[in-house]
Amino acid sequence: MIHYPLTSTSAQGTPGDRVFSVCPAGVLESRIIVPDERRPLPPIVAIHGISRNASEIAAAFEEAAQRSGRIVIVPHFPRQSWPVYQRITRRARPDRALLALFSTLRAMSPEFHGPVDLFGFSGGAQLAHRFAMLYPETVGQLHIGSAGWYTLPSADSVYPYGLSCPEHQSQPWARRMRSGLGDFLQRDITVYVGDADTRRDESLRSNPQLDREQGVDRLARARNYVACLNEQRRRHAMEGSARLVELSGCDHSFKQCARRGALAASVCAAR
């Protein structure tokens, strides 16, 4: 990778230069949105939902990046290489793809040498919070938008719904997340959800256990997740609290959340 000074992107046309990072599962293509006037703030990595709408995410964040002076990186997880990217599994691990992206960015510019702020919407929000639980040292602020369901930071539920791990369970993720739980809980975490995001559509995972423990729709599950985060912070005697932002008049449309709910602008203005 060639080292080069980052140049600003035009407000016209498709936002962002492209950068390619490589991991065992494949090549991850990302767009980098560089504002004309940059502020010394951490870059934001913004992860798309299950519709793989990286272009829509980039378009929404371009104006917010220009106004805030923050660099925004928008990766695209192609379905062929990452058929399931919301959860970290043994096959085609999305966490390794993000780690490779971070390494590539650090090789490009000193501006990427510290932790990044991480945003995800819907399926991307699922990956974002699970990645932050595994690698809390790489994440500054965590912004979670309209996740369908969560891995709760509690041992009251069995993984992947929580951090309890039966002896016969071979996957190491719950144990690794538990080991870094204290660091994860110290992150500045904001959860966003539309106050009309109550539809139980086909993409919403539902079963009796999940509905009972987390709620029957995304709005209820977001409220439950924030309550769980803050309860765990109290148990660990930590100051501060996770925030819930309910976007007025918004359902599960990213475009609606970005336009009516000012979602991208809120994430970029968080610092």
Side-chain angles (χ1 to χ4, degrees), residues 6-12 32-39 61-72 111:
L6 296 176
T7 55
S8 61
T9 59
S10 170
Q12 306 297 321
I32 305 181
I33 304 168
V34 183
D36 296 325
E37 297 183 10
R38 299 203 291 278
R39 296 176 62 200
F61 270 92
E62 184 182 20
E63 182 179 354
Q66 290 289 350
R67 288 184 176 180
S68 66
R70 302 189 66 179
I71 297 172
V72 179
E111 294 179 87

Side-chain angles (χ1 to χ4, degrees), residues 207-241:
N207 58 55
Q209 178 187 354
L210 187 55
D211 292 349
R212 181 179 65 255
E213 294 181 355
Q214 298 194 22
V216 298
D217 55 46
R218 294 182 184 88
L219 177 59
R221 292 176 183 180
R223 290 170 174 172
N224 176 76
Y225 180 64
V226 171
C228 185
L229 284 170
N230 289 330
E231 173 60 25
Q232 290 301 313
R233 282 185 170 181
R234 285 189 289 270
R235 290 185 183 182
H236 287 74
M238 293 179 175
E239 296 181 356
S241 60

